[in-house]
Amino acid sequence: QVQLVESGGGLVQTGGSLRLSCAASGIIFSDNRVGWYRQAPGKQRELVAAITTRGNENYADSVAGRFTISRDNAKNTMYLQMNSLKPEDTAVYYCNARVGPGLYNYWGQGTRVTVSS
């Protein structure tokens, strides 16, 4: 059974930093394309950052240069380092893994990030 468990969200002031973590069980992160999505109130869920099995990273334009995605293969954990946070980064952040030939999507339960102005 696949489980993704996020942690690290919270309340931070504009310009601050947070690091989100996503621990996986039932899959190996480095064998799959994994990433972070977010959903703000009244908006659709959007891709924030992703990392491929080869370690190639891609970012939404809105976070490029401020956020960094990484994974620790030994811990089977993925991270999202978020710096220079802005109020528009406020959202629930979800860990995602696309698994198998059919690229089935697994999601974590989400962790809330609130950036105050």
Side-chain angles (χ1 to χ4, degrees):
Q1 183 179 1
V2 176
Q3 273 196 315
L4 305 176
V5 180
E6 302 103 333
S7 61
L11 174 64
V12 64
Q13 291 186 334
T14 296
S17 298
L18 283 174
R19 189 177 81 154
L20 306 183
S21 300
C22 176
S25 59
I27 61 167
I28 298 174
F29 267 151
S30 58
D31 288 347
N32 299 281
R33 182 186 184 278
V34 295
W36 291 94
Y37 286 72
R38 68 186 180 188
Q39 187 165 17
K43 295 188 176 181
Q44 290 189 331
R45 192 172 297 189
E46 63 175 0
L47 175 67
V48 176
I51 185 167
T52 69
T53 56
R54 295 182 178 182
N56 296 320
E57 303 166 18
N58 63 84
Y59 298 91
D61 289 345
S62 59
V63 308
R66 300 188 296 122
F67 291 11
T68 303
I69 189 172
S70 63
R71 66 175 182 237
D72 184 328
N73 294 339
K75 295 182 179 179
N76 205 27
T77 299
M78 178 174 63
Y79 304 97
L80 184 69
Q81 177 66 44
M82 306 186 294
N83 298 328
S84 302
L85 282 161
K86 305 175 181 180
E88 51 264 44
D89 295 318
T90 295
V92 177
Y93 284 71
Y94 296 90
C95 176
N96 170 265
R98 303 183 72 186
V99 178
L103 298 179
Y104 184 85
N105 278 302
Y106 288 96
W107 298 95
Q109 81 286 357
T111 185
R112 186 174 300 276
V113 172
T114 302
V115 184
S116 63
S117 57

